[in-house]
Amino acid sequence: MIVADNETAVDLLYYEAIAKTVVRLVSEKSDEPLSVGVHGDWGAGKSSVLMMVEEAFSDDDRVLCVRFNGWLFQGFEDAKAVLIETIVEELRRKRPMSQKVAEQAKKVLRRVDWMKLARKAGAYGLTLATGIPHPETIKDLGEAARSLLGKGAEDVSPENLAALVKGSDEFLREVAEDSAPEQMHAFREEFARLLQDAEIDRLVVLVDDLDRCLPKIAIETLEAIRLFLFVPRAAFVIGADEGMIEYAVRQHFPDLPVVTGPASYARNYLEKLIQVPFRLPSLGYAETRIYVTLLLVLNACGEESDEFQKLTGLARELLRRPWKGPGLDRKTVEKALGGVPVDVERAMELAGRIAPILADGARGNPRQIKRFINTMMLRLAIAEERGFRDELNISVLAKIMLAERFAPELYDAMARGSANTGASEELAALEAVVAAPSSGLETKSADGRERAPSTEASLPDWPNIEWAKQWAAIDPPLAENDLRPYVFVTRDRRSVFGAVTSLGELDELVAKLQGSPLQVKQAAAEVARLQSIEAEQVFDALRAKVRDTEDLAQEPVGVKGLAEMARQHPFLQRPLLSFVQDLPVSKLGPWVVSGWVSAFSEADVASDFATTLKGWADQDDNKPLKAASSAAMKLSSKRKRT
């Protein structure tokens, strides 16, 4: 019914070329320490590339691949120690019968225990100053002491340790400070010896989901990697979004200057750790069309089907040079498969229709495209269970879902207009203008009566009208369809049915942004960390909340959150201004004139808002809004003069 939304070794985007390049680089530099970055936005396919790299090394007994997911270990106190211990344990599993490996692994792990003890040294010093050791501190020291002293330390009890700790401030200071360079140097030497004893030609550590970690955990993991940058035979392949890692650096080192020379300190830090960066490209039109076709065929026929296997091989050849054509065409598919099966025919037809807008709207992000297809298939399955699947045309549903996802104003108008008869007059007018923009084509209203010809001037004043016209040109036209079953199956739009669409982990942030000004301000850092696609989802949820508010005389819940979203993500400033301009002037309270200065920081957006403010000041339908707008304009003019 749906395609799994996680990392996969089934390569539908020909990322194998990137994985092979990484493998080749790691193999050629086998004696040198190496760090490789696989960068891309959330959902770009980084985890799949790492899985392909791991698969490429799986048959080489002298190469050890270790998969480390920093996000899974986020609750651990010392991510650096967890990473090193994970690597050592994998080496021991690789050579379980080697006594030399076992003995050398113990030495390396003792160095790790020293790191833990040194980390605690500050806490020990504080308890010594008061003379009252904290129970957790005693427990920590006990565990570290047992590890350092070996199996003979079974009789070390918390009571004995309390006596041991007393008067040992100087020793702990020496552990934490004086021994550090020596310990780090010894760690590298002992770890290099461990690789030699294990007869490992190359250690490849695949670090995934680092950009999902809290800044502290992300930096600790990067610092652990830094320990290995001078260890021969060690290679790290790090999958992460550079923007999120730079954010973690800025949060962890807040006192550093913002820039140094041509680059920021955060960028310099990242470039020193990652020697070779790879960036996964966004999908273009041809790639999106191929990807959508493969997803639909995979859903319909299954991964093991002959149709899917042959189509995947053909797609891979086309993806080698995607600029040379539009993707999978009927003639090529017919030649490769000896005909075009019905499921493949339908998939190609639908992909050709929706790929242009889907590629642009999803910004070429594979995960967003996959989620769109999965949502569509899930809705069809629900319709089948309810007994009205035969009333749905998949092409019509896909087109409506494009509007739902990328033009909520258009979708809401279409849903409201079709509620009674199933036909939307606004949609009919839009399609008439697109079909014959200069002829003034006469159309019939929902009740069958003739109405005036549709022209550009008769179209609704939607902020995204140009997108809407591009969308309306996609086949099939919708005006002749009963849209009610489609609206019903896509009814999770809160602005139409009042239901709240769950955003998963983002729901908590949406709730914060609907809170008091203080709560919104406290959520600013969390807002800044959002990926652009996540920011759009939060923005859409808040916008729907404000749109549903009946009383606009008072500031609706969520307005402050919308302003914060635009402040932290400037690409949302234009949609926010369009939304504000679209609010009914007669119902607006004075609140709407203020609070936008920092939200509309882009020069062109600020200028357009000033024009909107003047329009409010010149109208006479809403006296309180007129007075507030006039006052705001005078205040703004006074500030400019001073």
Side-chain angles (χ1 to χ4, degrees):
M1 183 166 56
I2 64 172
V3 181
D5 188 17
N6 50 28
E7 67 271 14
T8 175
V10 180
D11 186 11
L12 303 184
L13 296 169
Y14 197 45
Y15 280 172
E16 181 186 354
I18 296 174
K20 283 185 174 180
T21 305
V22 173
V23 170
R24 178 180 172 185
L25 178 64
V26 170
S27 300
E28 288 178 349
K29 305 287 185 180
S30 59
D31 291 333
E32 303 174 21
L34 181 67
S35 58
V36 179
V38 179
H39 302 313
D41 297 333
W42 172 85
K46 301 182 293 295
S47 297
S48 294
V49 171
L50 295 187
M51 179 177 286
M52 293 175 199
V53 172
E54 184 178 20
E55 179 67 22
F57 284 119
S58 61
D59 294 332
D60 193 335
D61 190 56
R62 297 186 69 88
V63 174
L64 174 64
C65 254
V66 179
R67 192 81 178 267
F68 182 80
N69 189 316
W71 196 33
L72 296 179
F73 294 97
Q74 188 155 265
F76 286 74
E77 187 173 356
D78 192 341
K80 184 187 300 183
V82 171
L83 173 58
I84 298 171
E85 288 172 341
T86 300
I87 295 171
V88 173
E89 287 303 317
E90 287 298 325
L91 278 165
R92 292 169 72 171
R93 288 195 191 96
K94 186 81 171 180
R95 301 288 187 262
M97 306 304 294
S98 173
Q99 188 62 31
K100 289 169 61 178
V101 170
E103 291 299 324
Q104 191 63 24
K106 288 181 181 178
K107 292 181 181 180
V108 174
L109 291 176
R110 287 187 64 190
R111 298 292 176 189
V112 177
D113 291 329
W114 174 88
M115 293 177 193
K116 294 178 182 178
L117 182 60
R119 181 185 176 95
K120 300 291 184 182
Y124 300 150
L126 287 173
T127 58
L128 286 168
T130 63
I132 308 174
H134 190 279
E136 286 299 317
T137 303
I138 295 175
K139 178 183 177 183
D140 293 333
L141 185 57
E143 292 174 352
R146 290 188 184 92
S147 297
L148 289 170
L149 295 176
K151 294 183 179 180
E154 306 299 344
D155 58 341
V156 178
S157 64
E159 292 77 14
N160 293 335
L161 280 172
L164 176 65
V165 168
K166 188 175 181 181
S168 61
D169 187 32
E170 191 63 35
F171 164 73
L172 290 170
R173 190 179 299 112
E174 180 181 346
V175 169
E177 298 175 4
D178 298 340
S179 301
E182 179 184 345
Q183 290 284 345
M184 292 300 100
H185 182 70
F187 166 79
R188 290 189 177 112
E189 286 186 345
E190 290 178 355
F191 188 83
R193 178 63 182 273
L194 175 59
L195 291 180
Q196 182 178 342
D197 290 345
E199 298 180 343
I200 294 297
D201 294 335
R202 196 53 150 165
L203 167 68
V204 183
V205 183
L206 308 172
V207 181
D208 200 7
D209 282 340
L210 198 58
D211 46 10
R212 292 190 181 189
C213 297
L214 294 173
K216 177 184 176 184
I217 304 301
I219 296 302
E220 282 189 0
T221 305
L222 290 172
E223 289 296 306
I225 293 171
R226 189 165 61 89
L227 285 174
F228 291 91
L229 291 184
F230 299 97
V231 177
R233 307 184 190 183
F236 283 79
V237 184
I238 305 163
D241 176 3
E242 317 103 301
M244 294 304 293
I245 299 303
E246 288 184 35
Y247 173 81
V249 174
R250 291 195 300 270
Q251 293 297 306
H252 197 74
F253 304 109
D255 296 330
L256 287 176
V258 177
V259 296
T260 170
S264 66
Y265 272 99
R267 171 62 65 173
N268 287 339
Y269 179 92
L270 189 61
E271 289 180 351
K272 286 180 180 178
L273 277 171
I274 297 179
Q275 299 161 331
V276 184
F278 285 86
R279 174 140 190 107
L280 301 181
S282 299
L283 304 185
Y285 161 66
E287 295 153 304
T288 299
R289 184 175 178 181
I290 291 172
Y291 188 48
V292 170
T293 302
L294 291 177
L295 288 175
L296 291 171
V297 174
L298 174 61
N299 187 288
C301 304
E303 184 179 335
E304 302 301 325
S305 67
D306 189 52
E307 293 90 346
F308 178 74
Q309 292 296 326
K310 288 182 178 180
L311 205 61
T312 302
L314 175 59
R316 181 167 301 186
E317 290 301 315
L318 295 172
L319 286 169
R320 293 179 187 273
R321 298 174 182 84
W323 63 88
K324 284 197 169 184
L328 292 165
D329 63 89
R330 199 179 191 285
K331 184 177 179 181
T332 305
V333 172
E334 187 174 10
K335 182 179 179 181
L337 274 62
V340 183
V342 175
D343 289 326
V344 176
E345 181 81 60
R346 290 173 179 167
M348 291 172 56
E349 181 185 2
L350 181 58
R353 290 176 178 177
I354 68 176
I357 286 183
L358 194 55
D360 179 63
R363 292 186 172 88
N365 185 284
R367 177 166 290 164
Q368 286 298 306
I369 294 170
K370 183 184 290 186
R371 287 193 171 188
F372 180 91
I373 298 299
N374 280 343
T375 301
M376 182 175 67
M377 302 312 297
L378 185 62
R379 286 169 170 175
L380 288 172
I382 292 172
E384 185 174 359
E385 291 297 325
R386 284 181 173 269
F388 66 92
R389 170 64 180 86
D390 292 342
E391 298 177 41
L392 298 181
N393 180 306
I394 189 172
S395 296
V396 173
L397 177 61
K399 184 173 179 178
I400 289 175
M401 284 181 58
L402 287 173
E404 175 195 19
R405 175 65 184 86
F406 303 118
E409 296 88 354
L410 170 60
Y411 173 86
D412 292 345
M414 180 171 52
R416 286 193 297 267
S418 62
N420 294 323
T421 65
S424 167
E425 293 192 9
E426 289 178 316
L427 176 59
L430 174 63
E431 290 187 343
V433 168
V434 171
S438 59
S439 65
L441 183 67
E442 291 190 3
T443 57
K444 293 184 178 181
S445 62
D447 58 7
R449 292 181 297 177
E450 296 292 335
R451 66 181 179 194
S454 297
T455 63
E456 291 275 356
S458 68
L459 295 180
D461 187 21
W462 290 320
N464 47 11
I465 188 65
E466 292 304 320
W467 187 97
K469 287 190 284 187
Q470 180 187 0
W471 169 85
I474 299 175
D475 283 332
L478 305 184
E480 301 303 320
N481 289 274
D482 184 349
L483 300 181
R484 287 173 293 184
Y486 297 96
V487 173
F488 177 81
V489 83
T490 60
R491 71 189 187 284
D492 50 0
R493 290 294 304 175
R494 103 176 48 195
S495 56
V496 178
F497 293 93
V500 177
T501 305
S502 175
L503 299 179
E505 297 176 357
L506 298 179
D507 281 339
E508 185 177 347
L509 176 58
V510 172
K512 293 177 184 177
L513 294 175
Q514 294 178 26
S516 66
L518 178 59
Q519 288 176 303
V520 173
K521 185 175 180 180
Q522 290 173 338
E526 195 173 348
V527 170
R529 289 198 298 270
L530 293 174
Q531 305 278 359
S532 59
I533 293 174
E534 294 173 318
E536 285 186 34
Q537 292 175 325
V538 173
F539 181 83
D540 286 345
L542 291 170
R543 180 170 55 180
K545 178 69 176 179
V546 175
R547 188 188 293 115
D548 285 347
T549 303
E550 295 183 3
D551 182 13
L552 293 175
Q554 304 298 322
E555 181 178 308
V557 172
V559 166
K560 290 288 191 299
L562 282 172
E564 188 61 39
M565 292 297 301
R567 187 177 298 114
Q568 299 293 344
H569 299 276
F571 76 92
L572 293 173
Q573 292 186 20
R574 176 61 63 182
L576 176 58
L577 176 59
S578 297
F579 175 64
V580 171
Q581 292 171 332
D582 200 39
L583 294 174
V585 174
S586 60
K587 297 181 180 180
L588 289 175
W591 62 268
V592 78
V593 307
S594 61
W596 307 112
V597 175
S598 57
F600 296 146
S601 59
E602 300 287 318
D604 59 331
V605 179
S607 175
D608 288 350
F609 177 67
T611 302
T612 300
L613 201 62
K614 186 177 185 305
W616 289 340
D618 292 341
Q619 55 83 37
D620 294 314
D621 294 336
N622 188 329
K623 299 297 184 182
L625 178 61
K626 179 183 179 73
S629 301
S630 299
M633 290 178 63
K634 290 178 181 178
L635 180 61
S636 176
S637 178
K638 183 178 179 180
R639 286 174 178 168
K640 289 179 180 179
R641 289 197 301 269
T642 57

